[in-house]
Amino acid sequence: MPFLPLILTLALSATDPAAAFSGARELAALAATPLADQLAAARRALAVRQWERAAALAALVSARAPSSPDAAMVVGLARFRAHEPQAAIAPFARAAALSPSSAALRFDLASALYQSGRFADAEARYLEAAARDDKVAPLALYDAGLAALDGGHPERATVHLQAAAKAARAAGQEPVAVEARATLQSFARRSEHNAAPELLRLTHAGTEALRARRYAEAAGDYRRALDLATAEGAGAADRAELHYDLGHARWRANDLVAAARALTTAVELAPGEGEFRYLLGLVHFDAGADRDAKIALERAVALGLPAAEARRAGDILRALAETRRGETSRFFVEVRAAAGRDT
């Protein structure tokens, strides 16, 4: 596509005409600069979460240099981080085709497929990524296991999760090994009950609804799964996980009271689970219950969290310590966004 029609197409597709044509003029000016400068500008936009700008700049580079995997990758990243996984699939697939040895690009493509509900395709791409790089393999195998499980193939999921734990130990990635083992243990516990097939169907349906942002539907599936687990005499650990799932769905639906109730029950049933307390802390934080948020997040950190969640908990705890909620604080706005329902 010639550059000016491409620029006009990008401008006319925006919702704010004045801003769109201002952006179009900027793109037209950038079209005369070296490709490296254009791609650098796209990466800078990506770094400051200007997703549309990053996608537009990278698309311009991709139009001028169709053999550039980096340009296609940045388009995909911008779409994926804007919570448009389906729109990220094509640019990620192009980038992966242009760089067939790249494990990272196949991992990115797999993630977009997974978030789009294409579990079998995601599983295959995760396995391709794992085969290309020993450092990527642990997380790729772990995610392949989740994709297989969500796709209704528990036997394959078990194989992938076992391989993920082994690869993580070999690569010195103990957090991934811990997660893989925990997922295997959770799956094994649920499979011990006579109601396991129906429980798996309901929890799988809830997960799919949650991913599609059908939060009320997800909560209904998790509620029915919880009722079934309780009727069948499921143990505290299984019921705790289902209360956590229910609380997660309620939180995403912004039903903070119901979310807090479900997550409090999850914490009572499994007091040693740091991630249950972490999500309860986020709910309290969103509700403005700063004291309860502080208690829950401090306990979650003490129990142990994955690195990203530990950092986010630390950010919120510092915000609570340093800023009064009544003050106008950009940091509070940012920390709410970063810890909110799209992470």
Side-chain angles (χ1 to χ4, degrees), residues 14 53-54 72 82 85 90 98 113 119 127 152 154 159 172 181 210 258 269 282-283 322-323 326:
R53 172 179 164 81
L98 290 168
L113 290 164
F119 302 124
L127 294 177
V159 172
R181 290 195 297 269
L210 194 66
L269 290 168
L282 297 188
V283 170
E322 297 170 2
T323 311

Side-chain angles (χ1 to χ4, degrees), residues 4-326:
L4 288 178
L6 171 64
I7 292 167
L8 289 173
T9 298
L10 293 168
L12 292 170
S13 66
T15 56
D16 181 347
F21 280 100
S22 174
R25 286 194 296 270
E26 180 186 13
L27 289 175
L30 280 170
T33 66
L35 289 175
D37 292 348
Q38 293 177 35
L39 188 56
R43 290 184 181 279
R44 287 194 297 272
L46 197 65
V48 296
R49 302 186 179 190
Q50 295 177 350
W51 312 131
E52 289 299 327
R53 172 179 164 81
L57 290 169
L60 184 62
V61 177
S62 194
R64 294 183 64 187
S67 61
S68 169
D70 289 342
M73 176 192 69
V74 174
V75 176
L77 286 174
R79 295 306 183 196
F80 187 79
R81 293 176 186 176
H83 307 292
E84 300 172 359
Q86 290 184 326
I89 291 173
F92 278 151
R94 180 176 180 79
L98 290 168
S99 186
S101 63
S102 173
L105 290 174
R106 270 161 182 73
F107 187 95
D108 290 341
L109 173 58
S111 298
L113 290 164
Y114 182 85
Q115 292 297 325
S116 299
R118 292 172 55 178
F119 302 124
D121 292 335
E123 180 186 356
R125 301 295 86 74
Y126 279 130
L127 294 177
E128 290 176 359
R132 283 166 168 76
D133 190 326
D134 291 343
K135 292 182 180 179
V136 174
L139 188 56
L141 288 166
Y142 177 78
D143 286 346
L146 298 183
L149 190 59
D150 282 348
H153 301 285
E155 300 84 1
R156 292 210 306 263
T158 299
V159 172
H160 299 331
L161 291 168
Q162 289 171 339
K166 181 179 179 180
R169 288 192 300 270
Q173 297 178 19
E174 187 58 23
V176 180
V178 170
E179 288 293 330
R181 290 195 297 269
T183 303
L184 282 166
Q185 290 167 2
S186 173
F187 179 63
R189 286 197 303 269
R190 290 189 179 188
S191 297
E192 290 174 357
H193 303 295
N194 292 332
E198 181 63 7
L199 277 175
L200 286 174
R201 187 193 69 76
L202 287 169
T203 53
H204 171 62
T207 300
E208 285 195 322
L210 194 66
R211 184 174 293 111
R213 303 187 182 189
R214 300 192 303 271
Y215 303 133
E217 181 182 333
D221 289 330
Y222 290 138
R223 180 74 259 177
R224 287 190 291 275
L226 182 58
D227 291 344
L228 179 58
T230 302
E232 292 293 329
D238 286 336
R239 288 183 285 119
E241 289 186 18
L242 288 168
H243 277 290
Y244 171 82
D245 291 338
L246 177 60
H248 189 184
R250 292 299 190 193
W251 175 56
R252 285 181 175 268
N254 205 34
D255 186 353
L256 300 181
V257 173
R261 186 181 302 119
L263 290 165
T264 298
T265 302
V267 166
E268 291 171 351
L269 290 168
E273 288 287 346
E275 293 194 44
F276 292 2
R277 293 179 185 270
Y278 170 75
L279 187 54
L280 178 59
L282 297 188
V283 170
H284 285 319
F285 180 72
D286 276 358
D290 294 349
R291 178 178 176 275
D292 292 332
K294 180 175 182 290
I295 292 170
L297 291 171
E298 286 180 341
R299 185 57 179 153
V301 171
L303 288 169
L305 292 170
E309 293 180 356
R311 286 194 298 271
R312 179 53 51 203
D315 288 344
I316 296 174
L317 288 169
R318 282 190 293 275
L320 292 173
E322 297 170 2
T323 311
R324 292 195 301 275
R325 186 68 71 120

